[in-house]
Amino acid sequence: LTGPYVIEEIYKATDGQAIITTDVGQHQMWTAQHFPFLHPRQLITSGGLGTMGYSIPAALGAKLARPNREVVAICGDGAFQMSMCELGTIAQNHIGVKIIIMRNTRLGMVRELQDNLYGHRHAATILDETMDFLKIAEAYGIPHAMASSNEEALKQAEIMMSTPGPYLLVC
């Protein structure tokens, strides 16, 4: 399963019409490269000047401002942990935000920089694999799924986009 493939499938599943929010990281780069944006202000991102955890609060704001548009927050697993408390806001207020977690158990962009600039010396970039994001979504009553192959990503993206209300997809 590759990040760019997931982004391309989200584009297809939304007919390219969704408002997309991202955090800072590899998933932000993949989104910018693999989701051909069709409208102004369709990508909401900090442009590298924000922090991890930006995508979900930004998605909440976008969905409240444009309730008739699909809004998809694309985040890394590290970034999701910075704002996963917003699942309570989403569930309590029935906000139909779709969340995709790109799970690689790494702070991917930081690790990439450590590889490229610091001779593969890594510090504080490996995440614990025991976090069960699906159970967290379940605790909030949010529909959820996991995709671990490109084929599953295609199927789950279609299910996610056809499910009314919020949804969490771990890839």
Side-chain angles (χ1 to χ4, degrees):
L1 178 64
T2 65
Y5 182 84
V6 172
I7 303 300
E8 291 167 4
E9 292 309 316
I10 293 304
Y11 177 82
K12 291 175 192 172
T14 65
D15 294 324
Q17 299 300 313
I19 295 172
I20 305 294
T21 66
T22 68
D23 298 290
V24 176
Q26 287 175 317
H27 61 281
Q28 178 189 39
M29 301 298 108
W30 296 330
T31 301
Q33 294 167 346
H34 297 278
F35 194 105
F37 294 98
L38 305 173
H39 308 287
R41 294 180 290 281
Q42 190 177 1
L43 172 62
I44 300 175
T45 186
S46 66
L49 300 174
T51 61
M52 291 168 45
Y54 176 86
S55 67
I56 295 175
L60 288 170
K63 187 65 174 175
L64 291 173
R66 303 293 302 270
N68 296 326
R69 293 279 303 273
E70 288 292 351
V71 177
V72 180
I74 300 174
C75 50
D77 46 356
F80 176 75
Q81 293 182 61
M82 300 289 184
S83 60
M84 66 184 178
C85 58
E86 294 300 344
L87 291 181
T89 304
I90 291 167
Q92 184 173 353
N93 295 288
H94 311 289
I95 301 171
V97 170
K98 312 300 186 192
I99 301 169
I100 299 174
I101 302 172
M102 300 292 197
R103 183 165 196 168
N104 63 357
T105 65
R106 304 283 184 270
L107 299 180
M109 176 115 9
V110 178
R111 187 170 175 89
E112 185 176 316
L113 290 170
Q114 289 174 347
D115 286 344
N116 294 334
L117 301 175
Y118 299 98
H120 301 277
R121 290 187 300 275
H122 302 127
T125 58
I126 297 174
L127 302 175
D128 187 344
E129 294 183 35
T130 61
M131 176 69 72
D132 191 335
F133 298 120
L134 299 178
K135 285 184 180 175
I136 293 168
E138 183 178 340
Y140 285 102
I142 295 174
H144 53 278
M146 178 177 281
S148 33
S149 71
N150 287 344
E151 295 76 24
E152 286 178 21
L154 169 61
K155 177 182 170 194
Q156 294 302 331
E158 290 172 351
I159 291 170
M160 176 179 72
M161 297 315 299
S162 67
T163 301
Y167 201 95
L168 185 130
L169 176 59
V170 179
C171 296

